[in-house]
């Protein structure tokens, strides 16, 4: 199975919900797999791909992260995406779900010589894309944590060490001049204020990243559930 380059930065875009974080996309373009050998061109549509509309029917409403992740997972043309396109094209025709699946598969079987096994295996391909996105997301989350939290923790520690040093200077210079003492105390207050602000900001960043990661886990679970249900229906209706 070969791969091709796709637009980079899905993880960065999903993680962008962490307020005020500045994310760096991976310098290397994200790799998404190209069509497998048995893949067929997706049925062209004028609006959103029927395959994506079909898959998002089971996804949680008003979840932009789930929709974007699902779009990436379903972006590869496979036997399943071709079937989903055909099923989506019949969405406005009154018929039960089983009939819609069987009718769409009959067309796919006749025009592209597809088999149920190929469709089922294609769903596994989409699940593999999802796993790749999860791995990529985990890596960028770790990089973001290092860039946005670790640096601030180090700065807080450095400032606190400076504060301790300043206290020793105050003790030494107090007898020399009150003016110098006041100057150092003012400097200490400024540093303490900065350290406190950084400490609060660090906690906010931690919570923002944690919340975004929880959202991503929920989105991943929703997409996995959608594809797993689709696989079960293919096996139930077409086997």
């Amino acid at each position: 199975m070969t791969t091709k380059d796709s637009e980079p930065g899905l993880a960065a875009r999903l993680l962008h919900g962490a307020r005020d974080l500045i994310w760096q996309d991976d310098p290397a373009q994200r790799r998404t797999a190209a069509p497998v050998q048995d893949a067929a061109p997706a049925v062209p549509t004028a609006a959103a791909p029927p395959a994506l509309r079909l898959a998002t029917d089971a996804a949680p409403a008003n979840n932009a992260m789930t929709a974007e992740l699902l779009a990436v997972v379903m972006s590869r043309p496979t036997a399943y995406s071709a079937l989903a396109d055909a099923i989506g094209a019949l969405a406005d025709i009154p018929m039960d779900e089983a009939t819609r699946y069987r009718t769409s598969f009959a067309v796919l079987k006749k025009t592209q010589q597809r088999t149920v096994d190929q469709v089922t295996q294609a769903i596994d391909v989409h699940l593999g894309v999802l796993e790749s996105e999860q791995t990529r997301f985990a890596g960028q989350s770790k990089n973001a944590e290092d860039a946005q939290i670790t640096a601030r923790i180090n700065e807080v520690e450095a400032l606190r060490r400076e504060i301790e040093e300043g206290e020793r200077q105050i003790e030494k210079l107090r007898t020399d001049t009150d003016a110098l003492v006041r100057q150092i105390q003012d400097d200490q207050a400024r540093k303490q204020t900065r350290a406190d602000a950084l400490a609060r900001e660090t906690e906010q960043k931690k919570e923002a990243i944690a919340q975004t990661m929880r959202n991503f886990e929920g989105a991943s679970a929703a997409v996995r559930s959608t594809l797993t249900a689709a696989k079960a229906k293919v096996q139930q209706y077409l086997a």
Side-chain angles (χ1 to χ4, degrees):
M1 184 168 60
T2 60
T3 60
K4 66 179 181 179
D5 289 336
S6 68
E7 296 181 3
L10 170 66
R13 294 198 305 277
L14 295 180
L15 288 165
H16 189 66
R19 182 171 57 86
D20 295 334
L21 291 180
I22 302 175
W23 296 87
Q24 297 286 340
D25 283 346
D26 193 327
Q29 287 184 316
R30 184 182 63 236
R31 309 285 294 177
T32 58
V36 292
Q37 185 175 0
D38 68 342
V43 178
T45 59
L52 183 56
R53 296 203 306 272
L54 174 68
T56 52
D57 286 344
N62 301 321
N63 192 329
M65 182 180 291
T66 298
E68 184 171 3
L69 178 60
L70 185 58
V72 172
V73 171
M74 292 296 296
S75 63
R76 178 187 303 176
T78 66
Y80 170 66
S81 68
L83 174 65
D85 283 339
I87 293 171
L90 299 177
D92 297 331
I93 300 177
M95 62 177 65
D96 61 75
E97 186 177 56
T99 301
R100 185 175 290 108
Y101 266 73
R102 294 188 181 109
T103 300
S104 301
F105 180 72
V107 173
L108 198 65
K109 183 177 180 181
K110 181 176 181 180
T111 59
Q112 300 180 15
Q113 293 76 49
R114 293 300 179 188
T115 67
V116 175
D117 285 342
Q118 287 176 330
V119 175
T120 301
Q121 291 168 7
I123 293 177
D124 290 333
V125 171
H126 291 290
L127 287 169
V129 175
L130 174 61
E131 291 175 0
S132 296
E133 288 300 325
Q134 288 175 307
T135 299
R136 176 180 174 81
F137 181 88
Q140 288 206 357
S141 296
K142 180 60 170 62
N143 291 340
E145 182 177 356
D146 290 343
Q148 301 297 326
I149 293 179
T150 304
R152 285 174 170 79
I153 290 175
N154 291 340
E155 187 176 355
V156 168
E157 292 176 351
L159 287 168
R160 285 174 176 166
R161 287 193 297 269
E162 290 181 11
I163 291 170
E164 293 173 358
E165 176 62 25
E167 293 294 341
R168 288 191 293 269
Q169 291 182 33
I170 290 174
E171 189 66 26
K172 178 181 178 181
L173 297 172
R174 188 177 298 275
T175 57
D176 295 339
T177 171
D178 291 339
L180 183 57
V181 168
R182 286 194 297 270
Q183 177 183 350
I184 296 174
Q185 287 175 328
D186 290 342
D187 184 61
Q188 292 298 100
R190 177 185 60 79
K191 290 177 179 178
Q192 186 65 62
T193 298
R194 174 60 177 162
D196 292 343
L198 283 170
R200 290 191 299 270
E201 183 181 356
T202 296
E203 292 304 316
Q204 292 172 352
K205 299 297 181 181
K206 284 183 179 179
E207 178 55 31
I209 291 176
Q211 182 61 51
T212 304
M213 293 178 68
R214 287 193 294 271
N215 291 344
F216 181 84
E217 290 171 0
S220 295
V223 173
R224 181 177 297 277
S225 176
T226 296
L227 292 173
T228 301
K231 181 176 180 180
K233 289 176 183 178
V234 168
Q235 293 171 334
Q236 176 184 356
Y237 298 145
L238 306 180

